[in-house]
Amino acid sequence: MIGPTGGELLLRRLQSVAVLNPNETALILSLNQRPRRHPVRSQISADGFDSSGPRLIVSGWACRPRILPDGRCQILSTLLPGDLAGDTGDGRPLAQAAVIALTDMATVGARSVFDTIARDPGLYRNLGRGLQALGRMEEAQLLDHVVRLGRQSAIQRVAHQLLEFYHRCRAVGLVDGGRFPMPLTQETLADMLGLSLVHVNRTITQLKRQNMIEVRSGIAHISDVAQLALIADYPAADEKEGAPRFGDGSRSGGSELGEYTPASARQQSCL
Amino acid sequence: MIGPTGGELLLRRLQSVAVLNPNETALILSLNQRPRRHPVRSQISADGFDSSGPRLIVSGWACRPRILPDGRCQILSTLLPGDLAGDTGDGRPLAQAAVIALTDMATVGARSVFDTIARDPGLYRNLGRGLQALGRMEEAQLLDHVVRLGRQSAIQRVAHQLLEFYHRCRAVGLVDGGRFPMPLTQETLADMLGLSLVHVNRTITQLKRQNMIEVRSGIAHISDVAQLALIADYPAADEKEGAPRFGDGSRSGGSELGEYTPASARQQSCL
DNA sequence: CGCGAGCTTGAGGCGATTCAACTGTCGTGG
DNA sequence: CCACGACAGTTGAATCGCCTCAAGCTCGCG
């Protein structure tokens, strides 16, 4: 699979949240080295203190799983091309969790970038902020994940997760007319969405029958994003690319404001 | 309800993750002002950009809710005495979410502390790191929350959440022989744990009948923490206080390492 | 005393799980 | 070229965990 280089992917994401000067752009594009390859199921980034520094994902998907003592598994987050695996210096628990390849992957080491920024923070101010914004997006995804798991039905979970993948792929230019790579097995989706494999299958089948989605050999297709977003309670994203939703810490994008009144006082309507 | 002052609570937590010099201690204890009072259901911290700076919770409990379009609610996180509500400067999505009082509360403004640290980061180095560690603990709790919601049964969720409250209360000296304040209604617990009110009730009743817990008029009692932790898959916390689990970013405390192999390859045993 | 918020309990139903089998599609080696 | 195993996806049947609806209860408080 030949695709964009690591630097191009990351640059694309950063430019949607920050304006980079030539030095910064050059620094990111210095990541266009020959990537290291990782087979499925191998560990990209270790649990706890990190050895080799953060790595930029060039191709392939990964996840941060948490295995329970009885063998069950809950996936905490996913990593797509253009994402960074490993601790980028602030020791956040999520970033420190182990990263496991869900497909064959290619990554490049990104330690040099962070070292360079640390050496001259002034010169790379925007870049530093941009990278922080990417970290914030990760936390926002985590919040969405909580809502999905806590309060959405199986159909909504699947739809919502697919929409997240769609938008994340779009942010790195991997969407082509509603089609985007989605190489996860239904079992992995189950571990992600807190469902059983069988039920994920039935749910996807149902969405297929309703012509909401297609999934075949690692490619997903969403014909009508807005319609799917409706059933998933997925917040209406402005179709305009490059809207700086995370430029300096605005809202995540999923919540209604309003006081928290006990549910008894709230009314139900939708679905 | 008369309890410790805000500064004492926060100092206690910080001292368990960092060693503070006299300047830093004094700065924290400067938070022993007369607190502002908030009635139940009022908003402590606004959604999005923050107006009045972060506030330290002196007494009472709060949460960060997310309301879905159809009226359902998922609570993202809880705030207990000694916690900080509001954005402490890094614009993290969780910290920016609205904070709503679940009981009557008292808080003090903490902006001065952050301003002072920002003015002379060198002098307040340990304190700055300590506060960052508190932020990391919040993220670690979020990860635990994901696992609870995704892969635990109702009983485990309730037990796990109570244990989290127990340990958080203990960190600020609010536990007395297995007893600690737990002023949440079952409805709020339901919105937190992704369950229905009725089922939370039955689950708590069941735990009571098994003599695992007692909950009455805002006070919870866990007789055998280790036993409850066993049911809940709650990681064995060293009973030794002040173990610097977050001193500079070690592991969150909930995960088993190990490669992520598909569930089919894992064996099941417990429960 | 009467009201209301929170807690408790019962009955019935649906959504998701589990177990178990079967299908389809690869890649590999005889 | 086809037999084979491995792996992902699909489907059915039975069961269970949790939800919803609907009362009734308890306690604190005006």
Side-chain angles (χ1 to χ4, degrees):
Chain A
M1 183 197 289
I2 293 135
T5 65
E8 288 161 8
L9 287 166
L10 185 53
L11 191 58
R12 189 153 198 158
R13 296 187 65 203
L14 286 167
Q15 283 173 339
S16 75
V17 294
V19 178
L20 303 185
N21 66 40
N23 280 313
E24 296 171 320
T25 305
L27 180 55
I28 293 302
L29 287 178
S30 75
L31 288 174
N32 284 345
Q33 317 138 17
R34 165 180 272 279
R36 178 191 297 177
R37 309 224 142 249
H38 311 259
V40 203
R41 238 152 290 181
S42 63
Q43 186 161 327
I44 308 297
S45 170
D47 210 12
F49 287 106
D50 215 307
S51 38
S52 61
R55 303 195 67 79
L56 172 64
I57 297 174
V58 178
S59 72
W61 289 29
C63 74
R64 299 189 176 97
R66 187 173 285 188
I67 311 289
L68 278 68
D70 61 354
R72 286 174 301 181
C73 166
Q74 176 61 50
I75 290 176
L76 301 173
S77 72
T78 48
L79 294 100
L80 273 54
D83 284 333
L84 286 159
D87 192 351
T88 57
D90 41 12
R92 290 165 48 234
L94 180 63
Q96 291 208 334
V99 172
I100 305 288
L102 294 172
T103 68
D104 287 335
M105 300 186 65
T107 69
V108 296
R111 161 174 284 175
S112 60
V113 169
F114 290 93
D115 286 349
T116 305
I117 296 176
R119 227 173 291 123
D120 188 348
L123 184 57
Y124 298 102
R125 219 175 105 109
N126 297 331
L127 179 54
R129 299 194 168 201
L131 289 166
Q132 276 176 21
L134 298 190
R136 284 197 289 271
M137 293 184 63
E138 230 179 15
E139 189 172 290
Q141 285 164 16
L142 204 54
L143 299 184
D144 285 347
H145 203 35
V146 167
V147 177
R148 253 193 318 251
L149 293 170
R151 281 295 181 224
Q152 297 204 288
S153 66
I155 287 224
Q156 291 184 308
R157 291 187 212 188
V158 171
H160 197 280
Q161 184 69 72
L162 285 178
L163 283 165
E164 184 191 304
F165 289 151
Y166 168 83
H167 284 289
R168 288 171 69 181
C169 284
R170 206 162 65 100
V172 284
L174 255 33
V175 172
D176 173 27
R179 300 184 168 279
F180 56 99
M182 213 302 289
L184 305 186
T185 68
Q186 297 182 347
E187 178 167 19
T188 304
L189 281 172
D191 282 340
M192 196 171 299
L193 299 175
L195 298 168
S196 68
L197 192 170
V198 173
H199 201 56
V200 166
N201 179 289
R202 290 193 225 273
T203 306
I204 288 181
T205 305
Q206 188 183 339
L207 283 169
K208 279 179 183 167
R209 268 199 292 263
Q210 297 177 245
N211 294 315
M212 304 295 298
I213 61 169
E214 283 171 46
V215 190
R216 233 180 59 253
S217 60
I219 305 288
H221 176 70
I222 302 180
S223 42
D224 187 342
V225 173
Q227 194 189 356
L228 194 60
L230 208 62
I231 58 173
D233 274 357
Y234 199 94
D238 9 337
E239 282 297 315
K240 186 165 162 296
E241 248 186 85
R245 276 177 43 205
F246 284 88
D248 223 323
S250 64
R251 270 312 278 106
S252 100
S255 85
E256 299 292 317
L257 29 147
E259 312 248 321
Y260 169 64
T261 57
S264 34
R266 277 174 261 131
Q267 84 283 20
Q268 331 220 350
S269 60
C270 159
L271 249 240
Chain B
M1 183 197 288
I2 293 134
T5 66
E8 288 161 8
L9 287 166
L10 184 54
L11 190 58
R12 190 155 196 156
R13 295 187 65 204
L14 286 167
Q15 283 174 340
S16 75
V17 295
V19 177
L20 303 186
N21 65 40
N23 280 311
E24 296 172 320
T25 305
L27 179 56
I28 292 302
L29 288 178
S30 76
L31 288 174
N32 285 345
Q33 318 136 17
R34 165 180 273 280
R36 178 191 297 176
R37 308 224 144 251
H38 312 261
V40 202
R41 238 152 289 177
S42 63
Q43 187 160 327
I44 309 296
S45 170
D47 211 12
F49 286 106
D50 214 308
S51 38
S52 62
R55 302 195 66 80
L56 172 64
I57 297 175
V58 179
S59 72
W61 289 31
C63 74
R64 299 188 175 99
R66 187 173 285 189
I67 312 288
L68 278 71
D70 60 355
R72 287 174 300 182
C73 166
Q74 176 61 51
I75 291 177
L76 301 173
S77 72
T78 47
L79 295 101
L80 273 54
D83 283 334
L84 286 159
D87 191 350
T88 57
D90 41 11
R92 289 165 48 234
L94 180 63
Q96 291 208 333
V99 173
I100 306 288
L102 294 172
T103 67
D104 287 335
M105 300 186 67
T107 69
V108 296
R111 162 175 285 177
S112 60
V113 169
F114 290 93
D115 287 349
T116 305
I117 295 175
R119 226 174 293 124
D120 189 347
L123 185 57
Y124 298 101
R125 218 175 105 110
N126 296 331
L127 179 53
R129 300 196 167 196
L131 289 167
Q132 276 177 20
L134 297 191
R136 283 197 289 270
M137 292 184 63
E138 230 178 16
E139 189 172 290
Q141 285 163 15
L142 202 56
L143 299 185
D144 285 347
H145 203 35
V146 167
V147 177
R148 254 194 315 254
L149 293 170
R151 281 294 181 226
Q152 297 204 288
S153 67
I155 287 222
Q156 291 183 308
R157 290 187 213 189
V158 171
H160 196 281
Q161 184 70 70
L162 285 178
L163 283 165
E164 184 191 303
F165 289 151
Y166 168 83
H167 284 289
R168 288 171 69 181
C169 284
R170 204 160 67 100
V172 285
L174 255 33
V175 172
D176 173 28
R179 299 184 169 278
F180 58 98
M182 213 303 288
L184 304 187
T185 68
Q186 297 182 347
E187 179 168 17
T188 303
L189 281 171
D191 282 340
M192 196 172 301
L193 300 176
L195 298 168
S196 68
L197 193 171
V198 173
H199 202 58
V200 165
N201 180 288
R202 289 194 225 272
T203 307
I204 289 180
T205 304
Q206 188 182 340
L207 283 169
K208 279 177 183 167
R209 268 201 292 265
Q210 298 176 241
N211 294 316
M212 305 295 296
I213 61 169
E214 283 172 48
V215 189
R216 232 178 60 252
S217 60
I219 306 288
H221 176 71
I222 302 180
S223 42
D224 187 342
V225 173
Q227 195 189 354
L228 193 61
L230 209 62
I231 309 187
D233 275 356
Y234 199 93
D238 9 336
E239 283 298 313
K240 187 165 161 298
E241 248 186 85
R245 276 176 44 205
F246 285 87
D248 223 325
S250 66
R251 270 310 278 108
S252 100
S255 84
E256 300 290 320
L257 28 147
E259 312 247 322
Y260 170 65
T261 56
S264 34
R266 277 174 260 132
Q267 83 282 19
Q268 331 222 351
S269 60
C270 158
L271 249 243

